[in-house]
Amino acid sequence: MSDEEQPPETKPSRAMGKEITMNPLQEWGEEVEDGAIYGVTLRRVRTESPSGDFLAVAPSPGYVHYKTCKVRSLRAGTLEKLVENLLVEYQGSDPGYVPTFLSTYRAFTSPEKVLELLLDRRLEKVGDKEPAIPGSPTPDTPSVQRVVRGVLQTWLERHPQDFRNSSQCLQMISSYLSQDCRENPSQLLRLVKTLEEEEGEQDSSPKDWRSVSRPAEGDCDTSENVTSLLSHPPQDVAEQLTLIDVDLFQKLQFCHCLGSIWSQRDKKENRHVAPSVRATVAQFNAVTACVTASVLNDIQMKPQMRAKVLEKWISIAQYCRFLRNFSSLRAILSALQSNPIYRLKRTWAAVSRDNLTIFHKLSAIFSDENNHEMSREILTKDEIPLRRTNSARNEPRPLQRSASQVRSTRPAQGTVPYLGTFLTDLVMLDTALPDYVEGGLINFEKRRKEYEVLAKIQKLQLTCRHYVLTPKPEILQGFYTHRQLTEDQSHRISRTIEPPADSCPNSPRIRRKLTKRFSSLLLGSEVFSPKMNGDRVSPSGSCSSCEIDEGLIAVLCPAESVTAKV
């Protein structure tokens, strides 16, 4: 982007004693150069009043003086032009260009290629023999070197994952810095050395809480583990789910979320693509599986006791809401809204009216009306965090206060969003906008729109540092060792508990669109929770109330039925 000043102009700015609000930006058109297309905007900037020597008439107190600047922003270009523009816009008039490029370039090139162009010494020679033109890098060689070092430092600090396990990139940077004798780039060298020491390690992968809480193979009794998980206070369970979700969300990599990358995940050759997103999806599915298995755990459980399990999960979901953990909140609601649980009319009939009200209110957060407007708005709202209490009976209550009161009376609070909304936005952008424009130029306007979504994720990631949560191994162990049922098993068990003789008038009336599960973003086999012990139940075309699998009952009905403590 470049600014070209136009002569100052004097404009009347007051009418009837009030200042007129003038639009400071005006779209002017496009300028096409070799290998690049620039959008041109006229920007009106207020300036000091010119002296009387330059004016035929003395300025009136009612006048304000402006100058008009011509501003150019890169809309499309060759890869060489996009990389060259990093030097132009570093600390330039387009502050969004560098972060946009560094966050989205993997959609159209590789780190090695960007480094090769960025460290090309010919960039330092631009303008040595000919005058600089608008949009070209600064011709002064030392100045260009300082800008290159600045871009490298920004890249290493904000996107270190691009260089982990990439010795070629680190060697290219080290070689460039070793030839730079004018200044000692000590900070850059320290960053490179740190990444070299981390090479081969897995620090960038999400922390596996199971490594400190999962029992040894063969020491797991799934029924007791589910019972143990639900025996803890709802707030404790919600906090441990949030602990896992926060860690996964903080390790989320922007490039994995891009529509062009995430939308190709189902191809056989892309099984290992976007691991940070896959880990988040797998955790979501694990929570859903845990809720489903705990509700359908015991065929012999009476409806009143099964309703208590539903109420326990509704309470956990409510605490997730007040912890602003919308990922686990959505996972729990998805399980409760799934057909195997939704259809249990006698169970839902035994749920208290207060809990049903809470359930409906929580479900309304993820309504798909107006493009999920409510769930989007709630991410930006200021709220008073839930106070930690020692009483398991203390229920969270929403406090209605003004935004100023909230900011003055509460500490900062973290937020873990439901990632599916952002992934959908990015996939839709990738589908709607072309990667290249006429002439084979890279469509950078598309990358700017993608970065608008990524910037929201980044902002929420920064809030996660405000969480203060302590791991509780006994709860984590109960979660990670839960039983997982296949979709077919869940349906068959549900029909065994309550045969499909009648409709379900007592089930909560929720819009069925809300039952769309995040698990559809991954194959079911990718959920990392342990599978159910025992033989697989073969699918059946029809499952009548008379067709009961004796092997399934043997697994789900122990000699002494274990009832969850709630």
Side-chain angles (χ1 to χ4, degrees):
M1 182 182 292
S2 61
D3 293 351
E4 296 180 7
E5 294 187 8
Q6 304 296 324
E9 53 185 331
T10 304
K11 298 286 185 180
S13 64
R14 294 182 181 275
M16 301 297 292
K18 295 184 179 180
E19 187 171 350
I20 298 175
T21 302
M22 305 179 69
N23 186 1
L25 295 175
Q26 181 181 349
E27 293 291 336
W28 193 65
E30 288 186 345
E31 290 184 355
V32 180
E33 292 182 1
D34 184 26
I37 300 176
Y38 294 90
V40 180
T41 304
L42 299 182
R43 176 178 298 172
R44 191 184 302 276
V45 181
R46 187 169 178 172
T47 62
E48 296 293 334
S49 300
S51 61
D53 296 339
F54 297 95
L55 298 175
V57 181
S60 167
Y63 282 77
V64 175
H65 302 272
Y66 294 88
K67 69 177 180 180
T68 300
C69 299
K70 177 183 173 183
V71 182
R72 301 200 316 169
S73 61
L74 189 62
R75 289 185 174 178
T78 61
L79 180 58
E80 290 77 9
K81 282 290 185 179
L82 295 183
V83 174
E84 182 180 311
N85 206 50
L86 288 173
L87 306 184
V88 177
E89 298 301 349
Y90 181 74
Q91 295 182 340
S93 55
D94 185 1
Y97 183 83
V98 174
T100 298
F101 181 92
L102 295 180
S103 297
T104 63
Y105 75 89
R106 280 183 175 269
F108 52 84
T109 190
S110 65
E112 292 80 8
K113 186 60 178 177
V114 174
L115 272 177
E116 179 184 341
L117 294 172
L118 182 64
L119 304 183
D120 189 344
R121 290 285 175 175
R122 286 176 296 178
L123 284 179
E124 300 173 3
K125 308 300 182 182
V126 174
D128 282 348
K129 298 182 179 180
E130 57 186 35
I133 60 176
S136 297
T138 306
D140 178 52
T141 297
S143 298
V144 173
Q145 288 181 335
R146 283 192 293 270
V147 173
V148 170
R149 289 195 298 270
V151 172
L152 286 175
Q153 183 167 338
T154 300
W155 192 358
L156 288 164
E157 289 177 341
R158 298 185 182 180
H159 302 274
Q161 68 278 357
D162 290 358
F163 302 93
R164 291 192 175 100
N165 301 323
S166 179
S167 57
Q168 180 182 353
C169 289
L170 295 176
Q171 289 174 0
M172 292 172 67
I173 297 175
S174 298
S175 175
Y176 178 86
L177 296 177
S178 65
Q179 300 174 29
D180 190 352
C181 303
R182 294 177 175 83
E183 295 184 22
N184 181 21
S186 56
Q187 177 63 22
L188 267 176
L189 290 173
R190 282 195 297 268
L191 289 171
V192 172
K193 184 177 180 181
T194 299
L195 289 170
E196 287 175 340
E197 293 173 351
E198 293 177 355
E199 186 176 356
E201 297 180 3
Q202 300 300 321
D203 294 344
S204 60
S205 61
K207 186 182 297 182
D208 189 353
W209 296 105
R210 294 173 294 168
S211 62
V212 297
S213 60
R214 183 170 57 180
E217 293 290 337
D219 296 341
C220 170
D221 186 328
T222 54
S223 295
E224 293 181 359
N225 286 326
V226 173
T227 300
S228 174
L229 177 65
L230 294 181
S231 67
H232 294 280
Q235 185 169 351
D236 289 350
V237 177
E239 287 180 352
Q240 295 308 294
L241 294 178
T242 303
L243 177 74
I244 302 171
D245 289 331
V246 166
D247 185 71
L248 290 171
F249 183 55
Q250 286 182 309
K251 300 296 176 61
L252 183 71
Q253 297 182 22
F254 292 160
C255 61
H256 295 168
C257 300
L258 292 172
S260 59
I261 295 176
W262 179 241
S263 62
Q264 303 299 315
R265 66 192 179 280
D266 292 330
K267 293 184 178 180
K268 186 176 180 180
E269 63 272 19
N270 293 335
R271 288 179 300 174
H272 303 295
V273 167
S276 65
V277 178
R278 290 178 183 272
T280 299
V281 175
Q283 169 63 15
F284 182 99
N285 293 341
V287 174
T288 301
C290 184
V291 176
T292 302
S294 65
V295 175
L296 304 177
N297 177 48
D298 187 355
I299 292 180
Q300 298 177 340
M301 186 182 292
K302 295 182 179 180
Q304 292 77 10
M305 294 305 299
R306 203 180 307 278
K308 292 294 183 183
V309 177
L310 292 182
E311 291 178 349
K312 190 66 170 280
W313 281 113
I314 291 172
S315 182
I316 294 172
Q318 190 179 21
Y319 277 102
C320 286
R321 165 65 185 90
F322 280 88
L323 287 167
R324 293 181 63 81
N325 178 4
F326 297 100
S327 182
S328 284
L329 170 60
R330 179 67 182 267
I332 294 171
L333 294 176
S334 294
L336 297 181
Q337 295 165 4
S338 65
N339 185 266
I341 296 178
Y342 176 87
R343 62 172 298 279
L344 299 177
K345 63 176 183 177
R346 289 193 292 271
T347 299
W348 282 103
V351 175
S352 69
R353 181 178 300 178
D354 288 344
N355 277 286
L356 284 176
T357 300
I358 294 172
F359 179 60
H360 282 290
K361 288 183 178 179
L362 294 176
S363 299
I365 293 174
F366 299 102
S367 168
D368 58 358
E369 293 182 358
N370 298 323
N371 193 22
H372 303 277
E373 180 181 13
M374 186 172 182
S375 61
R376 294 176 188 275
E377 288 183 354
I378 207 167
L379 294 176
T380 60
K381 285 185 178 179
D382 285 324
E383 295 178 325
I384 299 176
L386 176 66
R387 288 187 178 182
R388 189 69 173 90
T389 63
N390 295 323
S391 172
R393 294 180 176 273
N394 182 43
E395 297 294 334
R397 297 179 181 178
L399 300 178
Q400 302 296 332
R401 299 188 186 180
S402 66
S404 60
Q405 286 178 316
V406 169
R407 285 190 292 268
S408 62
T409 59
R410 71 163 177 84
Q413 188 178 15
T415 299
V416 180
Y418 168 59
L419 190 59
T421 303
F422 295 110
L423 294 178
T424 300
D425 291 345
L426 289 167
V427 170
M428 291 180 66
L429 279 174
D430 181 63
T431 304
L433 302 175
D435 291 328
Y436 298 91
V437 297
E438 186 177 356
L441 303 181
I442 297 170
N443 183 6
F444 198 72
E445 281 298 294
K446 174 178 180 175
R447 307 308 163 191
R448 291 183 189 271
K449 292 185 181 298
E450 288 179 329
Y451 183 69
E452 290 177 5
V453 179
L454 297 178
K456 295 176 183 177
I457 297 177
Q458 182 183 38
K459 184 177 180 181
L460 293 173
Q461 280 182 322
L462 294 176
T463 69
C464 287
R465 60 189 175 186
H466 300 303
Y467 281 107
V468 181
L469 301 169
T470 303
K472 294 186 177 181
E474 65 278 7
I475 298 179
L476 293 171
Q477 178 179 347
F479 170 69
Y480 279 119
T481 56
H482 69 78
R483 168 182 292 143
Q484 181 186 335
L485 304 174
T486 65
E487 186 174 353
D488 180 68
Q489 287 172 336
S490 298
H491 280 283
R492 296 179 67 182
I493 295 169
S494 176
R495 287 168 174 254
T496 301
I497 294 172
E498 293 190 24
D502 306 314
S503 58
C504 305
N506 294 322
S507 298
R509 295 173 181 263
I510 306 170
R511 294 189 64 181
R512 299 303 294 165
K513 289 183 181 180
L514 293 181
T515 63
K516 182 178 180 181
R517 297 177 57 188
F518 198 5
S519 57
S520 63
L521 296 176
L522 271 184
L523 296 177
S525 61
E526 297 188 51
V527 179
F528 57 65
S529 297
K531 298 291 184 182
M532 173 181 171
N533 295 328
D535 297 334
R536 291 186 179 180
V537 181
S538 59
S540 170
S542 62
C543 184
S544 68
S545 59
C546 298
E547 297 173 337
I548 300 176
D549 192 317
E550 294 181 358
L552 193 61
I553 293 179
V555 172
L556 297 174
C557 298
E560 296 181 3
S561 179
V562 180
T563 303
K565 298 178 182 180
V566 291

